[in-house]
Amino acid sequence: MIRDLLSIAVPVRLRQALCALALVAGAGAANAADILITAEFKPSTLDPNKREFVNTTPWSGVCYGTHQAACIHNNWWSIDTKIRGKKDAIREAGWTPNGFYIGMPAPRTVTVVSDDGRNTFDLGFNIIGAAMRLVDEDRDGPFEPASNGNPNNCNLGLKNVGANNRSAMRMFLRRDGGEGVVACALHWITTNNYLMTEFDFTYKLTTPQPLGMPSGVYRGMTTFRVGGTGEGADFDLGNGVTLDDNIVNVHFELDVHHPFELELPPGSDRAVLAPRGGWTQWSDHGIVPKMLERELPFTVSSSGQFSVSLQCQYPLPDGRCAIRNMTEAADDAPLDIALSLPGFQVEAKGANAVGLPLTTTMEPPVFTADVLFIRQPSQLHFAVKGDAVKEMLDHPGSHYRGDVTVIFDADP
């Protein structure tokens, strides 16, 4: 009868990577303004079904301050381009480039690259509106230089007229949602020189699915040219425009931070193998067990990718680990190790991660999930099977041992 047939030390080393989300930019050019748009994906245990990026760009532009509540209500997000200049406006009936006029570009796809250069994803960027503040340079014009009529091709999003400084702030919202190239204008009822003290755009991001993005910071950039009509600008501000800068570099930074946590119960550093149901059939009837086994439970919390690999104290040529007779000379016994992560998938195969054999010679499998799992019950199964059990029982009183290290890598 062999009660303490073998012990297997199974230390689990967890290499946990931080996950950050970022879209970043390239080098700025001469005569260029640089702005940064940021977003992050950081799943919370309080909201495990959260699957979207959150825009973390600081408020600026027309939505900052007085109009912030209205912008939040309408899901608008504005940013000041830092472009400044002058506008020599001419009174003219109709929606012409001589007055308050903004032409806006078509949507773009921006490639964002992880800081380590290993992963790239596409980000959709749509300009859904733009705003401009014109201040009467000589303070000799009317308080309201533009008519109250609706603009063509756009809706008048926000209106703010300062009676003391003779300034007009307008935000155009495109009726196409930013899907094409649109020029918007207002009727203009005065001829005057204006300072352009603010030029903003309102935008929408179409981000990649963050659950499919490894943790890290992702960066990208796109450039818009700003100018007057006929200059081939992406943002056309009409006739009579003189600008301090004519290029806006929009830098993106996406921060993806997948949580990863492995919890092992006390005593998980040692797995004692035994027949299912105990040793009674062997001790009382001499029936050789088909298998000596032990299941090690643990839990995994993760929304991202991670890999699992194996290291053995006594590796076998076929990639399995072995346990060794520490008492007398005997053949090493092969140890089968299987991993089960219910709810996770093997990325390369798309198969459920249940009963997956682990070996030292295999490419470490990468596991993914469609949701954030919190303390998902999982198992490692250790077993010596078949003829190897009989050979072990030919050495009664022996002690078999082998160290196995299972490595969970949160940054595969």
Side-chain angles (χ1 to χ4, degrees):
M1 177 171 123
I2 305 175
R3 293 289 184 184
D4 189 9
L5 182 64
L6 56 91
S7 61
I8 305 172
V10 188
V12 177
R13 186 174 77 223
L14 170 63
R15 186 163 69 240
Q16 182 169 344
L18 295 178
C19 300
L21 181 1
L23 303 175
V24 177
N31 253 11
D34 291 276
I35 57 177
L36 175 64
I37 293 176
T38 62
E40 69 177 10
F41 175 67
K42 292 185 178 180
S44 167
T45 55
L46 300 177
D47 187 11
N49 292 321
K50 176 182 174 182
R51 306 184 187 186
E52 297 177 351
F53 281 102
V54 174
N55 195 327
T56 56
T57 310
W59 287 100
S60 69
V62 68
C63 286
Y64 181 71
T66 303
H67 301 297
Q68 187 167 326
C71 288
I72 292 173
H73 176 74
N74 290 282
N75 197 28
W76 302 336
W77 202 284
S78 72
I79 192 165
D80 182 359
T81 66
K82 305 178 186 177
I83 296 289
R84 303 292 184 260
K86 293 184 178 181
K87 170 83 174 183
D88 296 332
I90 300 174
R91 175 173 179 165
E92 189 172 39
W95 300 280
T96 76
N98 288 326
F100 193 99
Y101 181 97
I102 304 177
M104 289 174 271
R108 294 184 176 183
T109 298
V110 180
T111 299
V112 294
V113 183
S114 59
D115 277 354
D116 60 11
R118 295 165 57 188
N119 298 286
T120 62
F121 293 90
D122 287 338
L123 172 76
F125 187 59
N126 289 40
I127 302 297
I128 62 173
M132 184 164 50
R133 181 181 293 278
L134 296 182
V135 178
D136 183 354
E137 185 176 12
D138 300 322
R139 302 294 194 271
D140 59 354
F143 290 138
E144 173 55 275
S147 76
N148 293 324
N150 289 325
N152 61 329
N153 299 322
C154 294
N155 297 316
L156 192 57
L158 296 174
K159 169 183 173 183
N160 181 20
V161 177
N164 294 328
N165 62 8
R166 287 179 168 84
S167 68
M169 182 73 182
R170 297 289 187 276
M171 180 169 76
F172 290 138
L173 292 174
R174 299 166 53 152
R175 291 175 185 154
D176 66 357
E179 296 300 324
V181 177
V182 168
C184 307
L186 288 172
H187 292 285
W188 207 250
I189 59 175
T190 180
T191 296
N192 220 326
N193 300 326
Y194 295 91
L195 297 176
M196 191 183 76
T197 61
E198 191 173 336
F199 175 59
D200 315 332
F201 61 71
T202 309
Y203 64 91
K204 177 178 68 176
L205 294 177
T206 304
T207 57
Q209 290 297 319
L211 290 174
M213 301 175 70
S215 294
V217 175
Y218 296 78
R219 307 179 191 273
M221 184 188 76
T222 191
T223 296
F224 293 100
R225 185 173 295 276
V226 185
T229 298
E231 297 178 3
D234 301 297
F235 285 96
D236 179 355
L237 304 186
N239 296 327
V241 173
T242 304
L243 302 175
D244 297 334
D245 299 316
N246 63 354
I247 291 176
V248 179
N249 293 321
V250 184
H251 303 269
F252 300 89
E253 182 175 302
L254 298 179
D255 182 6
V256 179
H257 188 98
H258 292 289
F260 186 87
E261 185 175 329
L262 190 70
E263 295 184 13
L264 297 155
S268 297
D269 59 341
R270 187 169 180 265
V272 179
L273 305 190
R276 186 171 298 183
W279 287 97
T280 304
Q281 290 294 313
W282 166 249
S283 60
D284 295 350
H285 306 289
I287 300 175
V288 177
K290 295 181 179 179
M291 184 186 310
L292 304 180
E293 61 182 332
R294 177 68 67 187
E295 188 172 88
L296 174 64
F298 61 96
T299 63
V300 174
S301 298
S302 176
S303 64
Q305 297 180 342
F306 61 93
S307 65
V308 178
S309 59
L310 183 67
Q311 293 180 357
C312 308
Q313 183 181 10
Y314 306 117
L316 296 175
D318 63 3
R320 290 184 293 176
C321 296
I323 52 176
R324 180 162 293 176
N325 192 322
M326 312 304 294
T327 309
E328 58 184 83
D331 291 338
D332 290 346
L335 183 67
D336 290 290
I337 303 173
L339 174 66
S340 291
L341 300 164
F344 291 91
Q345 295 86 43
V346 182
E347 183 185 43
K349 302 178 180 179
N352 293 329
V354 177
L356 180 70
L358 294 180
T359 66
T360 60
T361 55
M362 69 189 303
E363 183 72 20
V366 176
F367 301 95
T368 62
D370 295 329
V371 296
L372 166 61
F373 281 112
I374 302 172
R375 297 184 179 88
Q376 180 73 352
S378 305
Q379 302 86 31
L380 277 166
H381 186 260
F382 302 91
V384 175
K385 302 176 182 178
D387 291 342
V389 177
K390 183 178 184 303
E391 292 176 9
M392 291 174 67
L393 296 179
D394 288 339
H395 302 276
S398 294
H399 181 76
Y400 282 78
R401 179 183 173 85
D403 289 340
V404 172
T405 302
V406 182
I407 303 170
F408 289 77
D409 189 345
D411 187 20

